[in-house]
Amino acid sequence: MQKLIAKYGAAAHLAIVAVAPLFLFPFFGAWTSAQVMLWTSLMGAVWLVLEPSLRSGERLHDARVRAAKAIRGDPLFWTMLALVAFCGMRALNTGIDLAYDPENSTWFMSKAAMPLMPGSAGEAGRLPFAAAVSAAVLVTGCRHSLGRSARLAFLLVASGLAGLAAVIAVVAVHTGAAAGAVAESELARSFAGFAFGVHLLCGLAAVDAVFERHWNAASPLLLFAVGGNAAGVMLFSPPYMAAFFAAAALVEFLYVFIHAWVKLQQPVQFKILVVCGLTVGAGWLLVSSLLPAEDFASRIAAFKSVKTLFPENFAEIRAMLSRVSFEGWISHLWAGTGVGSFPSVFRFHATPADWALLPRGSAAAASCWWQMLTERGLVGTVGVVLPFGFLSVTYARRLMLWPRAGGMPHPACLAGLLAAAAAVASGFFDGSLIRADALTALCSTVAISAASFPVKKEGESNGG
């Protein structure tokens, strides 16, 4: 029993950390979501320290010592701790808001309590702080506390829970309980479909794991891991993002099919084909049956050509918002104007023509990169990108060492690469990448992918 808990207990708890924001976004605000994420992160941190995966012939005490030593020697762990402290300070450094000077009859942006330090508008910094804590726990756990089987279990449980969250959100939209959250996502150009797309790629890799490891009792999770996340992408993504993830999912599925053909028994690849087809079909049926016929038809019609993937006048609006973002950023080069301050920045730098062009109620840049530079400055943008730089180096190193070990890598190795490619592409059109659910999903997926290449070394894990 202890070995079973050591194998999959930490993986299950880390999976809860990764998907917690997806259960919360349709119903709760940023502060409630941040509180839940912090408590689940604490639970996940306890598990990754006390119950790391066991290697062959290893006792639990030895595994704890090994994991603790690896964590202490990991530069990324200390980097992410520094980023957590930075985000916490920024969340506390509030005070940025529109203010009126009655003496001069002018509006201006009030400064944060510590003007020279990065700040935030109101409570806007709390959710990014919680996301930084969750990402630190997830990356540390995925890199140092999970063995081979536990990593695959993490992919299965996380993608299954994310698919369940997608089904709940789809039903909530149908009943009107989450209509406000969807409308807010449109105005903020920040879409939950990105996180569902990342978990869809993980779910496809988990399909291979279920057949490879003979996890027959867990196979019902695949209905959510693939079908549920596919429904989430269809409903909570703009057409261009859905197209990105459809292409990535097709590449992932082809590799899963080829891997099953080469590594597993002959009939398995056809079972995988049937499972993926049925689960995606179930997701399609769910969305098509709950959405009004006109809305569903318009979503399908958007895929007729590249031009229809984007809203009307999108290029013109994006160019205007990029110009405003640049003007706001260049005057606050290092620290930015403050997290959540873009609506105020737009007020001061937009022309009357810009106001006429902007959709009513819209309050975000049409690019994640400009949004980060404007609100976070160069320092905050580097803070977001730096962990992915470390993870990319690890991925490249494991890729280069793979030919020495031989063997065909598990499909999980491709999920992180495809998710990162989709993140870079969508980052030019919206701000979904800096959502809490997107950061937790992407960090954990890339960390798992880097560890999925076979490596020839002493004391290799027995699958724990």
Side-chain angles (χ1 to χ4, degrees), residues 2 6 48-72 144-145 459:
Q2 186 185 59
L48 73 88
V49 172
L50 296 183
E51 293 290 343
S53 298
L54 299 178
R55 291 180 176 176
S56 179
E58 193 176 47
R59 296 176 300 172
L60 182 57
H61 171 74
D62 299 328
R64 289 172 178 169
V65 172
R66 170 181 52 79
K69 183 178 179 180
I71 292 171
R72 289 196 304 267
H144 302 298
S145 296

Side-chain angles (χ1 to χ4, degrees), residues 6-321:
K7 265 192 173 185
Y8 304 122
H13 283 78
L14 289 174
I16 293 172
V17 177
V19 304
L22 290 174
F23 282 95
L24 300 169
F25 87 91
F27 312 108
F28 300 101
W31 177 228
T32 301
S33 299
Q35 288 179 305
V36 174
M37 290 176 66
L38 290 173
W39 282 110
T40 55
S41 298
L42 176 61
M43 178 180 62
V46 171
W47 272 87
L48 73 88
V49 172
L50 296 183
E51 293 290 343
S53 298
L54 299 178
R55 291 180 176 176
S56 179
E58 193 176 47
R59 296 176 300 172
L60 182 57
H61 171 74
D62 299 328
R64 289 172 178 169
V65 172
R66 170 181 52 79
K69 183 178 179 180
I71 292 171
R72 289 196 304 267
D74 186 2
L76 179 54
F77 169 72
W78 298 107
T79 300
M80 298 201 75
L81 274 188
L83 291 176
V84 167
F86 172 82
C87 292
M89 180 274 299
R90 186 178 62 191
L92 295 174
N93 190 25
T94 59
I96 299 173
D97 202 354
L98 277 178
Y100 183 70
D101 181 2
E103 183 176 347
N104 298 312
S105 301
T106 57
W107 289 90
F108 66 98
M109 282 184 64
S110 60
K111 295 182 179 180
M114 295 181 286
L116 297 180
M117 303 298 291
S120 57
E123 299 180 354
R126 293 180 176 180
L127 191 56
F129 166 66
V133 174
S134 296
V137 171
L138 284 167
V139 170
T140 302
C142 292
R143 283 167 68 90
H144 302 298
S145 296
L146 301 185
R148 193 182 311 151
S149 289
R151 290 193 294 267
L152 297 179
F154 171 86
L155 291 180
L156 176 61
V157 176
S159 58
L161 290 176
L164 176 60
V167 172
I168 293 173
V170 170
V171 175
V173 169
H174 174 66
T175 59
V182 175
E184 184 179 348
S185 295
E186 293 285 345
L187 295 177
R189 294 184 176 84
S190 177
F191 305 98
F194 181 91
F196 289 127
V198 175
H199 286 294
L200 172 61
L201 299 176
C202 296
L204 289 170
V207 172
D208 183 277
V210 167
F211 286 98
E212 179 184 0
R213 302 279 169 165
H214 304 290
W215 291 340
N216 298 324
S219 56
L221 274 177
L222 297 179
L223 179 62
F224 297 103
V226 179
N229 286 309
V233 173
M234 283 186 269
L235 185 57
F236 297 105
S237 299
Y240 63 85
M241 183 183 291
F244 292 156
F245 279 107
L250 178 60
V251 174
E252 178 75 15
F253 168 74
L254 290 176
Y255 187 78
V256 168
F257 189 84
I258 294 171
H259 182 267
W261 189 286
V262 173
K263 301 284 289 186
L264 307 181
Q265 296 179 354
Q266 189 72 9
V268 169
Q269 62 268 18
F270 297 106
K271 294 180 182 179
I272 289 176
L273 181 64
V274 171
V275 168
C276 290
L278 289 178
T279 51
V280 171
W284 180 283
L285 182 62
L286 176 67
V287 174
S288 62
S289 60
L290 295 183
L291 271 186
E294 300 80 7
D295 292 347
F296 187 75
S298 64
R299 285 179 177 272
I300 300 303
F303 292 90
K304 289 183 178 179
S305 68
V306 175
K307 293 182 178 180
T308 56
L309 289 176
F310 298 91
E312 187 178 359
N313 298 329
F314 179 79
E316 188 178 358
I317 294 173
R318 180 176 178 276
M320 178 270 292
L321 289 171

